Amino acid sequence: MRSPALRHVLTHLITPLLMCLGMGLAYMGAFVTPEPHHLPVAVVGEGPRAKVFAQTVKDQAGDRLDVRTVGTRARAVDLLKSRDITGAYVPDAKAPELVVATAASDMGATAVEKVFTPVAAQQGRPLKVTDVARPVADDPTGQGLFFLLIALSIGSYASVAALGAAGAALSTRVRALLTLGVSVVVSGIGALLAGPVFHLAHHDLAGVFGMAWLYSAGILFIGVGLHTFLKRWTTLTMMVLFVMLNFTSSGGLFRPELQNGFFGALHAFWNGAGFVEGARSLLYFDGDGLGRSVGTLVVWLLLGLAVSALAAGYERLRTPASHGAHAAGAHAAGHAAGAAHAPAGTRSAPALPARGTVDEARSGEPRPAGEAAEEEIEETVAV
């Protein structure tokens, strides 16, 4: 391509176009057609009659439901609060009841209600729905934690460009301290939004802050470490990891049982799911399952620290070569200065431009490092 400027523009268009494709595939694949896949439910009752009824429901639903029987309603409530089941149907000739926990998943509760409403109708009775874990009034759908996840994610991955590109001249230790500081600020903003501003967390705000910090720090350290190797392609990589795959598998809108197998599998170990499920455990389910969620976030943070340490080692290996190139440039500059101050009549060889200068003149496109960093930051934040 003859025009360097046109080639430069077309190169930078690759990132947003790939994001367009990736976001479409991820969001539409995860959210457009939510259908139950082995949705766990229970039928309350003992004896052959309850088992036959549960098997009948299973046969009618096929792979959409995983149906079990439990002996008592109290046991079913325990399973709901541990999020082992999504709903429990209590057969009764006079008043059939469906027990759900909408704080675990409003969409899941709705899906279960659609399944069992016709079952009750066949008995000629209206279905009574009882919610044993309702979200706070300030977050009636229970989806506020998902939007908090989005805010934390954007604050984290958008800061990577500033820390990685604009901070490239800083030492790895200073960048690590800045990364740590940014993670504290981002998680502080998240706690402010979850508490005083939107009242998602009526208690245990310190715990929400701690999980937000683990989540943000993991993303930041992974991103800053990857920037050493990927440079301007870091933005696309971060979008894939912490938007396309992260938001869709977090369970913030749809639990994994309402998604296809791919996103359902990611939910088991991705960091967004760790934050959302951990916050739910803390705020609505008395900490049940909190240890597993925190463990997931810790593993992602350790991964980020490992990537950053690898990047620091790589940069240290490159430092001698950089110093050598710097010394060669200084030597060339000194030679040129000596030639300029040589006595009149003394001939000296014409100063040759450095190879990088020749290459830049030929291509017509390189820019100062600071300008390239600013461009990368603007591209990242705009996305």
Side-chain angles (χ1 to χ4, degrees):
M1 190 174 296
R2 295 183 179 181
S3 172
L6 179 59
R7 182 168 66 249
H8 176 69
V9 171
L10 293 178
T11 300
H12 280 269
L13 280 173
I14 293 175
T15 296
L17 292 177
L18 286 177
M19 287 179 180
C20 175
L21 176 62
M23 293 289 283
L25 290 174
Y27 273 64
M28 297 178 76
F31 296 145
V32 168
T33 55
E35 294 182 354
H37 297 280
H38 298 284
L39 189 69
V41 298
V43 171
V44 178
E46 294 180 331
R49 185 173 181 179
K51 293 184 182 299
V52 169
F53 179 79
Q55 187 61 48
T56 301
V57 173
K58 169 64 178 173
D59 292 341
Q60 292 177 349
D63 291 338
R64 293 188 303 156
L65 298 181
D66 279 344
V67 186
R68 71 172 79 176
T69 58
V70 295
T72 64
R73 184 182 183 280
R75 174 57 181 159
V77 171
D78 289 340
L79 291 173
L80 280 167
K81 290 186 175 181
S82 63
R83 285 164 290 174
D84 290 322
I85 60 174
T86 308
Y89 183 75
V90 185
D92 189 285
K94 296 181 179 180
E97 180 187 19
L98 176 66
V99 188
V100 297
T102 54
S105 174
D106 181 69
M107 296 294 184
T110 301
V112 173
E113 187 174 348
K114 288 182 178 179
V115 169
F116 284 102
T117 296
V119 174
Q122 291 175 1
Q123 299 176 345
R125 299 293 180 182
L127 180 65
K128 175 187 175 183
V129 179
T130 303
D131 193 346
V132 296
R134 190 183 300 275
V136 294
D138 297 288
D139 183 23
T141 65
Q143 296 174 2
L145 294 175
F146 174 71
F147 297 110
L148 176 61
L149 172 76
I150 293 176
L152 293 171
S153 303
I154 292 175
S156 301
Y157 81 72
S159 298
V160 166
L163 293 167
L170 302 174
S171 68
T172 55
R173 179 176 298 179
V174 172
R175 263 182 292 159
L177 290 174
L178 284 173
T179 301
L180 187 63
V182 170
S183 67
V184 172
V185 172
V186 169
S187 53
I189 293 173
L192 185 67
L193 294 173
V197 178
F198 293 105
H199 309 290
L200 304 180
H202 286 200
H203 57 86
D204 289 304
L205 186 58
V208 173
F209 169 81
M211 285 188 292
W213 177 78
L214 286 172
Y215 175 75
S216 176
I219 292 176
L220 281 161
F221 278 108
I222 289 173
V224 171
L226 288 177
H227 190 275
T228 298
F229 307 101
L230 302 179
K231 303 302 181 187
R232 64 176 295 265
W233 297 108
T234 308
T235 297
L236 179 61
T237 303
M238 297 295 285
M239 289 286 287
V240 171
L241 291 176
F242 302 115
V243 176
M244 298 176 193
L245 299 180
N246 190 26
F247 295 170
T248 51
S249 64
S250 67
L253 294 182
F254 301 115
R255 292 273 300 168
E257 296 87 1
L258 296 177
Q259 297 182 296
N260 61 43
F262 175 73
F263 294 105
L266 291 182
H267 181 84
F269 61 90
W270 218 255
N271 61 340
F275 175 77
V276 170
E277 297 296 351
R280 283 174 175 161
S281 297
L282 189 66
L283 297 177
Y284 297 120
F285 297 100
D286 298 323
D288 185 85
L290 181 61
R292 174 182 173 83
S293 298
V294 171
T296 299
L297 295 174
V298 169
V299 168
W300 278 86
L301 176 56
L302 292 176
L303 176 62
L305 293 173
V307 173
S308 292
L310 184 63
Y314 176 75
E315 290 180 6
R316 281 196 296 270
L317 290 176
R318 292 180 58 195
T319 299
S322 300
H323 285 168
H326 192 68
H331 176 75
H335 180 74
H341 291 86
T346 304
R347 297 185 64 184
S348 60
L352 295 176
R355 180 172 181 81
T357 306
V358 174
D359 292 340
E360 291 177 11
R362 287 176 180 171
S363 66
E365 53 179 315
R367 301 168 311 289
E371 183 179 333
E374 289 292 333
E375 183 178 90
E376 180 181 346
I377 294 170
E378 290 174 2
E379 179 182 272
T380 302
V381 175
V383 170

